Amino acid sequence: MKSTKVFVIALVILIIIAGALLAMKFLGNNATQTANTNDGINTNQNQEEPEVAMPKTLSSYSRPIAVMIDNHIDAMPQAGLLEADIVYEIIVEGGETRLMLILQDKDLDKIGPVRSARHYFLDYALENDAIYVHYGWSPQAQEDISDLGVNNINGIYESTSSFWRVTDKYAPHNAVTSTDNILDIAARKGYRTEKYDNDTVLNYVVTEVNLESGQTANTVTIPYSYVNTVKYEYDEDAKEYVRYSRGEKQVDWDSGKTVTTKNIIIEKAKNSTLNDGTSKGRQTIDNIKELDGYYITNGKAIPITCTKTSRSGKTVYKDLEGNEIDVNDGKTFIQICPEDAKIEITE
């Protein structure tokens, strides 16, 4: 009886000792895991990777819209310049220029004044994979839109609820539309509304680009013709350029806000008058080649080359060492100006 009692007591003691050893092992493993985690060792293989910052400009897979905008003195101020991701400016007849806005994922009740197509603007709508929006067209643009199969919307053939004329400007400088109307028409026409890929024309980066080796560029003057000179003045506090046309600061049509841009790209292309029998002085440009130009941002400018190998091919912008340039995230005005324009970049 006494031996049985001793046996039971011994068994209880062994159980207590075994339990204590297991507890110590568990606590030791837990402490080691905690220490590893505190030392930055990731023991959770399913933990999500941290998000990588991406440039915002033209960053989604929605297909861009390219809209032809009137830049005649009677068309100013315009609607849409503030919200555009890219704005192309090229000379047209009479020494005037027209603008083409590249818009992506924008919700605008008013864009315009919308003007007619010119054939060389198609090259830049195509390289941005954009639906091309215009109000009328030149014979050359009409032919090329058909031959190239460009997804286009001609406001002249749409209802007055989709494209309408406002009363505070007079024709032909007063036709406007909206992004909702454009997208509704695109859907009706069966146009694709997603991009083929997310490879943008410009190599946007998140890290701020400062052209340390560039020349100071506080004022940039681009004479297109005797009737139109474009000028930009650098706002050092905002790190953006304020835009002027014909000596007037450009502002938004309704809000009156000043039009600014983060980046300016200048391309110098030879222009000439078409011999099309109309005597209207319509222009063409020699742009499917390597052109000289400048990249300007944050108060500095560097010389670049701008190479386009086909009408639909993306223009490649390189520095003089042959490296594709990084472009600051933000709005870009691309100034495709006459080859002989007396460009001034000054302090």
Side-chain angles (χ1 to χ4, degrees):
M1 187 73 179
K2 186 176 179 180
S3 61
T4 302
K5 192 177 203 177
V6 170
F7 175 79
V8 170
I9 292 171
L11 183 61
V12 170
I13 291 171
L14 287 173
I15 291 171
I16 292 171
I17 292 170
L21 290 173
L22 286 172
M24 289 174 64
K25 183 177 181 181
F26 173 80
L27 291 172
N29 288 342
N30 190 56
T32 302
Q33 184 175 5
T34 302
N36 287 344
T37 301
N38 290 338
D39 286 341
I41 299 173
N42 179 15
T43 58
N44 183 1
Q45 299 299 318
N46 295 323
Q47 184 172 331
E48 291 184 2
E49 293 293 328
E51 288 188 7
V52 178
M54 297 294 290
K56 295 178 181 178
T57 309
L58 296 175
S59 61
S60 87
Y61 275 89
S62 296
R63 190 178 184 187
I65 299 165
V67 187
M68 290 294 295
I69 299 293
D70 197 343
N71 200 40
H72 189 275
I73 187 65
D74 294 325
M76 297 169 63
Q78 300 99 327
L81 294 180
L82 285 180
E83 296 83 5
D85 297 295
I86 300 174
V87 182
Y88 291 85
E89 182 168 17
I90 314 178
I91 197 164
V92 294
E93 57 270 22
E96 298 287 347
T97 64
R98 286 195 186 159
L99 308 171
M100 186 177 75
L101 313 184
I102 304 295
L103 301 162
Q104 186 183 43
D105 288 332
K106 299 299 190 299
D107 184 9
L108 305 180
D109 294 331
K110 185 177 180 181
I111 308 171
V114 185
R115 283 302 298 270
S116 56
R118 294 295 178 268
H119 63 286
Y120 38 89
F121 280 94
L122 298 174
D123 304 353
Y124 302 100
L126 287 169
E127 75 173 6
N128 282 281
D129 186 31
I131 297 170
Y132 183 62
V133 181
H134 53 101
Y135 199 88
W137 43 24
S138 67
Q140 296 81 14
Q142 181 181 11
E143 182 177 353
D144 285 358
I145 285 171
S146 176
D147 290 348
L148 297 171
V150 178
N151 286 172
N152 80 107
I153 294 172
N154 188 347
I156 282 183
Y157 299 126
E158 300 299 331
S159 70
T160 55
S161 61
S162 296
F163 286 77
W164 66 97
R165 292 195 180 275
V166 296
T167 58
D168 54 331
K169 290 182 171 74
Y170 61 85
H173 312 293
N174 63 347
V176 298
T177 188
S178 70
T179 50
D180 279 350
N181 291 343
I182 291 169
L183 293 174
D184 285 346
I185 296 167
R188 173 167 51 81
K189 289 178 173 287
Y191 293 158
R192 174 175 48 84
T193 56
E194 293 185 354
K195 295 173 70 174
Y196 281 128
D197 56 50
N198 211 28
D199 183 16
T200 57
V201 174
L202 299 175
N203 185 32
Y204 295 108
V205 294
V206 174
T207 306
E208 191 77 2
V209 176
N210 292 300
L211 306 174
E212 302 294 351
S213 63
Q215 70 180 97
T216 301
N218 290 330
T219 302
V220 180
T221 306
I222 311 166
Y224 273 84
S225 69
Y226 69 95
V227 298
N228 187 17
T229 294
V230 175
K231 185 172 75 170
Y232 293 94
E233 291 187 350
Y234 185 54
D235 181 340
E236 188 172 0
D237 293 332
K239 289 191 172 183
E240 292 188 329
Y241 285 87
V242 176
R243 177 179 161 89
Y244 295 80
S245 185
R246 308 170 197 272
E248 293 186 17
K249 182 187 291 185
Q250 288 206 271
V251 299
D252 180 70
W253 190 341
D254 290 329
S255 71
K257 291 182 180 179
T258 300
V259 174
T260 62
T261 188
K262 182 67 174 177
N263 308 294
I264 305 163
I265 289 177
I266 299 174
E267 300 183 45
K268 301 170 69 175
K270 182 179 180 181
N271 64 293
S272 55
T273 302
L274 285 170
N275 183 19
D276 60 2
T278 65
S279 301
K280 292 189 175 181
R282 292 194 183 96
Q283 299 292 291
T284 191
I285 62 171
D286 184 14
N287 62 327
I288 311 301
K289 59 192 303 185
E290 181 180 294
L291 304 175
D292 293 330
Y294 295 93
Y295 173 46
I296 303 166
T297 192
N298 286 353
K300 291 291 186 73
I302 59 169
I304 61 172
T305 61
C306 318
T307 304
K308 189 170 175 63
T309 57
S310 68
R311 297 194 69 177
S312 61
K314 292 178 174 67
T315 304
V316 178
Y317 301 93
K318 294 183 178 182
D319 61 27
L320 297 191
E321 295 178 354
N323 304 307
E324 186 173 359
I325 63 171
D326 291 335
V327 175
N328 273 317
D329 195 11
K331 184 187 303 175
T332 303
F333 270 80
I334 298 180
Q335 307 288 158
I336 302 175
C337 67
E339 188 177 44
D340 58 357
K342 307 298 182 185
I343 298 165
E344 295 181 12
I345 301 174
T346 63
E347 296 184 15

